[in-house]
Amino acid sequence: MRKISDTITRLAAFRAGQGFQSNGQGRDRLSDLDDFGSNPGALRARIHVPDDLTEAAPLVVVLHGCTQTAAGYDHGSGWSQLADQEGFALLFPEQQRANNPNLCFNWFVPGDTKRNGGEALSIRQMIEAVAVAHGLDRRRIFITGLSAGGAMTSVMLACYPEVFAGGAIIAGLPYGSAKTIPEAFDRMRGHGMPSERQLQKALRDASSHQGPWPSISVWHGSADQTVASSNADAIIGQWRAVHGLDARSTRSEIVDGHSRRVWCNAQGQELIEEYRIAGMGHGTPLDTAGDAALGVGGPFMLDVGISSTWHIARFWGIAKPCVKRDAKINLANNEALAPSFARAFSMPKVGVPNVPHSEKRANIPPSQKPNSAAGRRKVIDDALRSAGLMH
């Protein structure tokens, strides 16, 4: 624990919003999801569903950072742009000032970070509601987030690992690393982190799940002064144990000028990847002018020549390759790396470590879907009760 005067100073900076993400609003492409259960965490739910979305499409859950809104983060990151191109649905949980004055998800509050409680349960209820309403593929539900949203991504992956096929944590922190605001500030600066074994135990204790486990993508800037990059190492250490992976990565390579490390299982499946963005501070890495340009640069939405949005979707197998970009990548790597690199950036894999939901997916034929708001509410409430997410 740091000196109390230091903690007070950092808490004042936190409340002033210093060092956290700005609200680059932009155009709001999201709509509200009004009916999603008891919502014990008092969060807002926003969604983007492409007009031509097919049955059994994937779902990506996106968690904004402090001081940001769902619409602002979508505008910066380009997720809805990619969803329209590739055909998947988006869910954006949104924090409210009554819960946190700086719009941070409360990733350090015990009541909000346990299975079936608080903000974590609210997000889980949203996922269930949107999956039922749009007949989404429960084998392809993914989650990502920036900073406090990245830390809350760690919470959701730990508390509900059976729900997610994969997760991506950008400038975030490992699950169970802090339980108070002073501890949160210390962990952000790399002080007092629990041991790797303690973090691994926290992950296993968060649910009764025995596997298979979600794949994990970790992104962090090497010059991040808000959340120390040692948190990326801690996240990888936390997840290696449940995947049964060695401390040493299977391979390393350079992608769009930045370091990528990959951990594979015995079958060659990529279970953990890490991007360390050279010279980047705190924020989401973007490429707004490349061959697969997405998003809009701004405060904490950093145009550094690599699109985390696109690469994460590729890692999950829900985005097609960009021919020009893949050609450049293959030319930039030597021939010895080419075979393993081709596997890393292959077309979506049937064997990607998807995690089937414990409940059967509710496929509601269009002819049987209720037209009234009350009817839709009843269908969603019934599904939530059936899944044990609402009483």
Side-chain angles (χ1 to χ4, degrees):
M1 188 67 67
R2 312 296 290 169
K3 292 181 179 179
I4 188 64
S5 59
D6 181 44
T7 297
I8 292 171
T9 300
R10 287 183 277 119
L11 180 56
F14 173 81
R15 287 175 173 163
Q18 298 173 3
F20 281 76
Q21 297 80 1
S22 297
N23 179 12
Q25 261 294 355
R27 185 163 62 98
D28 188 347
R29 305 191 69 214
L30 310 181
S31 58
D32 288 319
L33 175 68
D34 295 321
D35 300 326
F36 58 88
S38 58
N39 190 17
L43 301 177
R44 186 184 184 189
R46 313 213 64 209
I47 60 173
H48 177 78
V49 180
D51 292 337
D52 57 350
L53 189 70
T54 60
E55 189 77 10
L59 171 66
V60 176
V61 183
V62 183
L63 301 174
H64 62 79
C66 296
T67 78
Q68 291 181 318
T69 64
Y73 190 76
D74 176 52
H75 177 70
S77 63
W79 271 109
S80 62
Q81 180 185 347
L82 187 62
D84 288 343
Q85 294 174 8
E86 303 294 345
F88 55 83
L90 291 168
L91 165 65
F92 286 80
E94 186 174 80
Q95 185 58 284
Q96 305 297 289
R97 292 197 185 278
N99 300 328
N100 187 297
N102 292 286
L103 299 180
C104 308
F105 290 101
N106 288 311
W107 60 272
F108 48 83
V109 176
D112 285 311
T113 59
K114 63 182 180 181
R115 186 179 175 97
N116 296 335
E119 292 178 10
L121 179 54
S122 287
I123 296 171
R124 177 66 185 92
Q125 289 177 337
M126 295 176 196
I127 293 169
E128 189 69 19
V130 74
V132 169
H134 297 281
L136 303 178
D137 186 354
R138 294 187 185 277
R139 298 170 302 171
R140 293 188 294 165
I141 297 177
F142 307 91
I143 187 167
T144 183
L146 166 67
S147 192
M152 199 67 188
T153 296
S154 290
V155 170
M156 295 304 297
L157 290 166
C159 292
Y160 299 100
E162 77 281 6
V163 171
F164 301 104
I169 302 162
I170 304 173
L173 299 97
Y175 174 72
S177 56
K179 296 181 180 178
T180 66
I181 290 178
E183 285 185 0
F185 275 112
D186 277 348
R187 305 305 178 259
M188 287 166 59
R189 286 158 177 77
H191 302 306
M193 183 67 68
S195 70
E196 185 172 288
R197 180 169 294 184
Q198 289 172 319
L199 290 175
Q200 291 170 352
K201 183 178 187 301
L203 173 58
R204 289 192 179 278
D205 289 348
S207 76
S208 60
H209 188 64
Q210 298 299 311
W213 297 86
S215 61
I216 304 295
S217 180
V218 180
W219 294 70
H220 220 109
S222 67
D224 193 330
Q225 299 299 310
T226 301
V227 177
S229 61
S230 58
N231 282 279
D233 299 322
I235 293 167
I236 293 167
Q238 184 171 55
W239 282 92
R240 277 192 304 99
V242 294
H243 281 300
L245 301 172
D246 294 333
R248 185 175 181 178
S249 61
T250 306
R251 68 175 183 275
S252 300
E253 54 217 10
I254 301 299
V255 179
D256 291 347
H258 300 284
S259 170
R260 179 183 188 247
R261 294 194 297 163
V262 185
W263 286 258
C264 300
N265 64 10
Q267 292 72 44
Q269 291 176 318
E270 297 180 353
L271 301 182
I272 299 176
E273 69 170 2
E274 180 210 27
Y275 281 86
R276 195 62 62 98
I277 309 304
M280 191 184 80
H282 189 63
T284 293
L286 304 175
D287 183 1
T288 64
D291 296 320
L294 289 169
V296 177
F300 302 100
M301 307 302 293
L302 306 179
D303 193 349
V304 292
I306 183 169
S307 172
S308 57
T309 302
W310 184 78
H311 280 290
I312 288 167
R314 282 294 310 280
F315 181 63
W316 291 338
I318 61 172
K320 296 185 292 292
C322 173
V323 176
K324 290 183 180 179
R325 174 172 297 217
D326 282 1
K328 290 180 182 178
I329 290 172
N330 285 325
L331 287 171
N333 288 274
N334 61 39
E335 293 180 2
L337 281 178
S340 60
F341 195 82
R343 286 195 299 272
F345 287 86
S346 61
M347 289 292 287
K349 304 181 286 294
V350 174
V352 72
N354 290 330
V355 184
H357 191 270
S358 58
E359 304 291 334
K360 293 182 179 180
R361 184 166 64 89
N363 286 316
I364 305 172
S367 61
Q368 297 180 21
K369 289 183 179 179
N371 294 321
S372 69
R376 289 192 297 271
R377 177 69 180 262
K378 183 180 186 304
V379 169
I380 291 170
D381 285 354
D382 288 347
L384 291 170
R385 291 189 184 95
S386 176
L389 298 172
M390 193 173 76
H391 298 294

